[in-house]
Amino acid sequence: MARRGDWRGLWWQILSSPLPQAVAAAAHLKLRKWAPPSDADARLAAVLTGIDTKEAARLGADLFQRTTVRLPTTMGFANPAGFCVRHPVVALDTTGRDPHTSRVVTADRTGVRNTLYEGPAQHWSLCALDSETVIARREFDSGGYRGDTEIVEYTPGREAVLASGGGLLDAVVEPTATGWVVGTKLLGVALALADGEQEQLDLREYGLRRADLFAVDATGTRIAFADDSRLLVTDSRLQPLYDLVTESVRHGEFNAITFTGDSIVTAGRDKGLYRWQIIGGRLRGLYSGWDSTPRTIFRLNPVAAWNLLVAEGGNVNYHYDMATLQRTDSPEFLVPTGPDNKDDDLRGSRAIGRFASAPYGRLAVYEGGLATPTRGPDSFYTTVVQDLEHPLNVLVKPLLSLTPADADRVRPHLDPSLGPAAPYPLTPTERALLEAAIEACEWAPQVTGH
């Protein structure tokens, strides 16, 4: 583009890239030949061209390693991961000492914190209340044929069965701001523990046949249940707040659901995404991203730190802008991924393995098939925990998606007097790029070069 003098195209490429890559591309701008379309574009270009290109490239290549920890154990693709509302903690079901046992552990940004269970039980759903408390649905002999499906609480050196019976088959557990909630598939009933009090809601009274397809929002205070063509939103005590019946949604019957900020995003069996929001005391459908989804989506993983929605559709991950639901580029460590064409030709793609996150989670989990270089024969199939609160995550977002809110999250890490922040050790290069990122957050929303 620089050789052709395509300054507009080059500038658009720069704006679409994260800061480390944008710095490398900005080095090709001929500032005497390029006419910035606005003062904001000129200011942002000055920020980028003032950064050492080699240092930026080196840090960009190390971002994944700097924000992750590799665990000394493996989960397996089918094993659950459960996040925590209050703390940066994740509960994992990992391989035990032999293939016939499992181990439930909690991990944080530093690695494994506690081992809470090891034995023959098979776990299908987990959530963490803190680093020493995990709620799980477990079975024995791989199926609960004797009605031995249990909801259990694990703490160090202790387990307590909270509920059991065949009606809990396929139930899902999630944490909330006041405790936890379990949604059953067969009974259509949701159960919750909220501030020590037991709560129950029969969703069949609201036209839902199942209660296991639901999501908890980032604050842990709202729960959205979905079934067929009906949505029901409750608080963490299962008190109904809003409900909605949709005659027809282009993506068809609800198949996956999550929160993205104040919105709810759903996926359907007939392909596609749809956004819902509570406006004027009513739950309203806003718009659809159906035409950008080439296959049925089974899981939706929001990553607010990157403004990204990662959608898993049968061993292939697709990436969407969280605000627009349009296909977008992903961080390099999240590829290879599905193909870009809408025909979904998978011949040239490779599955990434598994990626998991949650609206309320402050960590992400990877299992197997990482796109980053690995060392040693055992490092390919490994479990990696990523710290989404690390200040370097701002360097993952494309420049155009940076906002003043991103700058507010970064500033306390550079100047502790501005507010509480986790004690992340930062190198001089990292501090310099984060300071440049704060400046970019000011000018990026004002640029007109796109």
Side-chain angles (χ1 to χ4, degrees), residues 42-95:
R43 295 289 189 95
L44 184 55
V47 171
L48 298 175
T49 53
I51 302 173
D52 186 287
T53 305
K54 291 183 179 179
E55 292 292 336
R58 188 178 298 113
L59 178 54
D62 291 341
L63 274 179
F64 187 77
Q65 301 299 332
R66 288 287 285 118
T67 61
T68 60
V69 59
R70 204 173 291 263
L71 303 186
T73 185
T74 182
M75 290 169 53
F77 295 118
N79 294 28
F83 299 92
C84 180
V85 169
R86 297 187 182 96
H87 310 282
V89 172
V90 61
L92 304 172
D93 180 31
T94 65
T95 304

Side-chain angles (χ1 to χ4, degrees), residues 149 208 253 282 326 331 358 422:
T149 301
L208 286 77
E253 182 180 344
R282 295 178 58 190
Q326 295 301 308

Side-chain angles (χ1 to χ4, degrees), residues 173-193:
V173 297
E174 296 281 0
T176 66
T178 54
W180 52 269
V181 61
V182 54
T184 65
K185 183 175 184 178
L186 301 181
L187 301 178
V189 173
L191 310 168
L193 189 71

Side-chain angles (χ1 to χ4, degrees), residues 361-380:
R362 292 140 73 180
L363 304 171
V365 173
Y366 303 74
E367 172 66 22
L370 292 172
T372 56
T374 56
R375 298 184 178 90
D378 298 327
S379 61
F380 182 81

